[in-house]
Amino acid sequence: MNRVCVIGAGSTKYGRLKEGIVELAVNASRDAIKSAGIEARDVQYAFISNVFGVADRQVHLAPVIMSDLGLMNVPGLTVESACGSGSIAFREAYANVAAGFYDVVLVVGVEKVTHTGTARSTTLFSYCSDFFYEGGSGVSFPGLFASMARAYMNRYGATEEDLAMVAVKNHEHGLLNPKAHIRKRITVGDVLESPPVASPLKLLDCCPFSDGASAVILASEEYAKSHGLEYVQVIGSGRGASPATLQDREDITAIPSTRAAAQQAFKQAGIEPKDVDFAEVHDCFTIAEIVDVEDLGFFPKGKGAEAVKQGVTRLGGDLPINPSGGLKSKGHPIGATGVGQVAEVYEQLLGRAGERQVKGAEIALTHNFGATGASCAVHIFRRV
Amino acid sequence: MSVSREEFIAKLNEGKVLLYRCRRCSNLQLATIVFCRRCNSDALDVVEEKGEGRVVTFTILYVPPEGYEGYAPYGWAVVRLDSGVNISGFIDVKSAKDLPLDSRVRIVGYDGRGIVLKAEDGSSK
């Protein structure tokens, strides 16, 4: 296998945006190409990560995006794995470069949903569940994660206040990110007093619906070196799967796909969880970050909430989690999210993350999943 | 014989759940899964179960998807059937207090709300 690296990254702001799906994707891709210091025509293939193109009246995104980049003859492919599409598209790009099919590949993730409103967006997202048992029986994604939260709180004694601490932390981080969707300091009281969405989760336990796009450029390390490009190495890549429904999980308080993907990525990288300097994890809801940091091996099962309470996962703590603000504050344009995590890692490991810089970071991990973790990818990166 | 989704739904409307029992390893699973989840055999016998069990976890939805506006707030629960097989569905409770974990519920049918569960009267624990 060829060694693979990330040579460029770009992101639009996340939020309620006026641009359409194609313009967002093209803008992020242009910025990624420029940051890589390559010519657009050096891109040989593209993976597009998107779920709800149909909501903005555009599917078959690859030729449209590539044509607007002036790359009419460069093929691409759309990858859909619900909220995990971005990391899973990245994984496919990684595999293609590692296998030697291409030297330079663009991964661009994009989503445009906020114009559809809350009820429609809630419905669209519910199509990412096993619809017969879940979305089609009335449950939303907040409801699915709320069901995990109730089981977790019952088993491990975590409280609604504990969950709220995750939101408070990630909003503190997001305040330092100029591209974050919700840049607002909040308190535990604000979270507890916010309106119920799906009990025990309240509005401020939930990430927002966001529009946005992120793009990264992968290359073989040989290509990057021979062209004198700056880069960060991809040292581990893992994929996992879980039963599509919550009812089929042996343990509703854990996500098997995270564990599988993390084990593969750590094994390939030849490192352990304690070697990671910071991580971007899938905090679509406050409970998710608590479960994630346990399943990734950072904290023992049942202790994820304790880590947040003690400040271990804050910027400046021993293991900053979601220095970008995470899905909770930075926002969650679902096709873009997993790619945006890689863009954050690229900026951080090159020391370009401004006020939210994790000082001295050398090794970083990204974790992103689809639905309630039915599909997951984990990647590990190293500063050169 | 294999169970179609239509047949599965017809049984839900009788308050029953169709399961497969694996001839090789005796594993029981919902009849919507076509190979044995434990041993991958496709030698499966159809078993009919009364759709009764206990609440494993649940939520009360206040912000519903389209089509459920008239029911909110309402519940959705994961249920362990008496056979040990899990299922989930819509349940018409208005407050978390009305549905203690481990309380008894049963399937009453399948309609525009999906799989519909009902809490058994005064049967908590």
Side-chain angles (χ1 to χ4, degrees):
Chain A
M1 279 202 323
N2 293 320
R3 285 157 67 117
V4 181
C5 59
V6 178
I7 60 171
S11 268
T12 66
K13 187 178 159 35
Y14 287 1
R16 189 180 287 267
L17 305 178
K18 64 179 192 303
E19 295 91 341
I21 189 168
V22 173
E23 187 179 2
L24 289 170
V26 167
N27 287 348
S29 302
R30 175 198 59 209
D31 292 351
I33 290 166
K34 287 171 77 169
S35 87
I38 59 171
E39 301 278 341
R41 63 170 168 263
D42 295 330
V43 173
Q44 297 161 346
Y45 198 84
F47 286 92
I48 317 295
S49 162
N50 177 253
V51 184
F52 298 121
V54 71
D56 203 35
R57 298 180 298 185
Q58 186 67 65
V59 294
H60 203 200
L61 279 163
V64 180
I65 293 167
M66 299 315 278
S67 293
D68 281 358
L69 287 168
L71 301 172
M72 288 74 169
N73 59 347
V74 176
L77 166 71
T78 301
V79 171
E80 187 273 296
S81 288
C83 307
S85 302
S87 61
I88 288 163
F90 183 85
R91 156 77 169 195
E92 296 307 312
Y94 170 84
N96 271 267
V97 175
F101 283 107
Y102 304 107
D103 288 319
V104 181
V105 173
L106 165 70
V107 182
V108 55
V110 64
E111 212 62 56
K112 173 78 179 178
V113 292
T114 63
H115 61 290
T116 67
T118 298
R120 183 92 273 257
S121 295
T122 300
T123 305
L124 287 169
F125 279 53
S126 79
Y127 298 163
C128 298
S129 68
D130 182 334
F131 194 74
F132 179 69
Y133 291 108
E134 297 184 338
S137 290
V139 73
S140 62
F141 267 90
L144 289 164
F145 280 90
S147 302
M148 291 176 70
R150 189 179 308 280
Y152 186 96
M153 292 160 73
N154 183 55
R155 181 172 309 173
Y156 297 110
T159 64
E160 294 184 33
E161 287 81 355
D162 294 341
L163 267 54
M165 295 286 290
V166 174
V168 171
K169 169 185 73 74
N170 290 348
H171 277 258
E172 278 175 16
H173 295 173
L175 268 177
L176 306 175
N177 185 348
K179 289 183 174 170
H181 183 169
I182 302 178
R183 303 184 70 197
K184 185 182 170 197
R185 190 177 298 282
I186 57 170
T187 65
V188 167
D190 293 335
V191 180
L192 297 181
E193 286 159 26
S194 62
V197 173
S199 75
L201 299 182
K202 295 157 288 292
L203 183 62
L204 289 178
D205 284 300
C206 307
C207 69
F209 293 115
S210 310
D211 307 324
S214 292
V216 297
I217 314 285
L218 288 84
S220 63
E221 189 164 16
E222 195 183 324
Y223 181 96
K225 275 187 179 163
S226 66
H227 288 76
L229 305 175
E230 269 194 308
Y231 61 90
V232 302
Q233 289 174 322
V234 186
I235 59 171
S237 174
R239 275 295 323 268
S242 308
T245 54
L246 287 189
Q247 71 195 18
D248 282 335
R249 307 274 171 92
E250 271 180 42
D251 178 357
I252 286 177
T253 68
I255 295 179
S257 62
T258 297
R259 292 176 169 179
Q263 277 167 15
Q264 290 163 30
F266 279 119
K267 186 175 177 206
Q268 185 188 352
I271 65 162
E272 293 177 31
K274 67 174 170 49
D275 300 319
V276 172
D277 294 312
F278 77 92
E280 288 282 314
V281 310
H282 197 86
D283 61 326
C284 47
F285 300 92
T286 50
I287 182 63
E289 180 171 311
I290 290 172
V291 170
D292 296 344
V293 296
E294 296 171 353
D295 289 338
L296 289 166
F298 293 137
F299 303 101
K301 196 71 210 157
K303 300 291 183 193
E306 198 57 33
V308 186
K309 270 198 279 191
Q310 290 174 357
V312 177
T313 56
R314 285 179 65 177
L315 261 176
D318 285 346
L319 178 63
I321 299 290
N322 287 323
S324 70
L327 287 57
K328 182 69 198 74
S329 165
K330 180 189 183 186
H332 187 26
I334 62 172
T337 292
V339 187
Q341 292 178 328
V342 178
E344 175 71 11
V345 162
Y346 173 83
E347 300 282 326
Q348 288 277 1
L349 293 182
L350 292 179
R352 299 175 186 167
E355 283 187 279
R356 65 184 191 284
Q357 181 67 45
V358 179
K359 293 193 179 62
E362 290 185 8
I363 293 179
L365 177 147
T366 60
H367 161 262
N368 168 228
F369 59 60
T372 47
S375 43
C376 180
V378 168
H379 288 91
I380 304 174
F381 303 83
R382 181 161 57 200
R383 190 174 79 190
V384 197
Chain B
M1 103 174 214
S2 78
V3 172
S4 68
R5 196 62 65 111
E6 190 180 0
E7 291 163 328
F8 189 83
I9 288 171
K11 283 293 173 189
L12 291 173
N13 274 322
E14 297 173 18
K16 294 171 183 160
V17 182
L18 290 179
L19 306 178
Y20 283 138
R21 177 183 284 123
C22 178
R23 275 185 215 161
R24 189 154 74 187
C25 77
S26 303
N27 177 52
L28 275 176
Q29 62 188 26
L30 292 170
T32 50
I33 303 172
V34 303
F35 291 102
C36 174
R37 280 160 35 111
R38 189 195 285 161
C39 77
N40 278 193
S41 169
D42 67 347
L44 305 167
D45 291 322
V46 179
V47 182
E48 198 175 288
E49 178 178 15
K50 257 165 77 177
E52 296 179 8
R54 292 181 182 275
V55 174
V56 174
T57 190
F58 71 97
T59 182
I60 305 290
L61 289 114
Y62 295 84
V63 181
E66 291 166 349
Y68 292 85
E69 296 87 345
Y71 303 105
Y74 59 88
W76 178 86
V78 176
V79 173
R80 176 147 303 161
L81 297 169
D82 292 337
S83 63
V85 172
N86 284 4
I87 196 163
S88 44
F90 177 99
I91 185 161
D92 192 13
V93 293
K94 297 288 175 195
S95 157
K97 291 192 301 292
D98 301 336
L99 197 67
L101 291 178
D102 215 34
S103 61
R104 295 218 36 107
V105 297
R106 60 189 170 89
I107 291 169
V108 292
Y110 181 90
D111 59 24
R113 297 167 291 179
I115 298 168
V116 181
L117 305 163
K118 188 173 186 306
E120 290 190 2
D121 296 333
S123 70
S124 51
K125 303 269 172 177

